Amino acid sequence: MRCVRWLRVGLCILALWLMGAVVGRAQPADSLRQVLVEALARGDAARLLEQAPPQVELALLGRGQLYSRMQARYVLMDFFQAYPPLRVKLDEDRLLEPHRFLVGRYWYARAAAPFQVYMRLHHEAGTWRLHELRVTAGRPRR
């Protein structure tokens, strides 16, 4: 009788711990998503790259390559100067472990239509990091 009671208590604790692990994994990506959207909307290259690994892939209007975080910062600063942001809106957020894909639109000053924004986050060592940022003109491919 006592063993059954302790087994139930143990199973409840395990269930609560597993639920916390799932919520704990989802929360950092959600907060990072918000940070990325706000940084894009403000044109804040430094904030955008805070959660990037030492190497990040940038593809801005067709020109893409792998940059160090510091190089990427200067490339993004030039981009934001040429295309000052007005608003950013996410349209899709898909989780395909260990990646999370964010797709949205980037409105900028003097724009007839927004750019398409694509971000790839990667889950590593218990945290999410921005590994790729792509900005393209035109409609997204479906």
Side-chain angles (χ1 to χ4, degrees), residues 11-44:
L11 288 174
C12 287
I13 291 171
L14 177 63
L16 289 172
W17 179 79
L18 288 173
M19 285 174 41
V22 169
V23 170
R25 284 184 70 183
Q27 187 61 29
D30 292 340
S31 60
L32 177 57
R33 177 185 64 199
Q34 187 64 31
V35 166
L36 295 173
V37 169
E38 289 174 5
L40 274 172
R42 288 192 321 260
D44 188 344

Side-chain angles (χ1 to χ4, degrees), residues 71-119:
Q71 290 170 324
R73 182 177 175 181
Y74 290 113
V75 170
L76 283 170
M77 286 169 52
D78 287 344
F79 176 81
F80 291 139
Q81 186 174 6
Y83 304 98
L86 294 176
R87 179 168 70 109
V88 174
K89 180 178 183 284
L90 283 185
D91 299 319
E92 292 182 47
D93 182 344
R94 295 189 182 194
L95 178 64
L96 294 156
E97 285 287 343
H99 300 284
R100 190 164 189 172
F101 300 93
L102 307 175
V103 180
R105 292 172 283 170
Y106 175 97
W107 283 268
Y108 62 98
R110 303 175 318 275
F115 289 145
Q116 298 303 310
V117 175
Y118 166 90
M119 292 179 274

Side-chain angles (χ1 to χ4, degrees), residues 43-58:
D44 188 344
R47 181 81 170 129
L48 187 65
L49 296 169
E50 280 179 354
Q51 292 300 315
Q55 300 283 314
V56 63
E57 184 176 346
L58 292 182

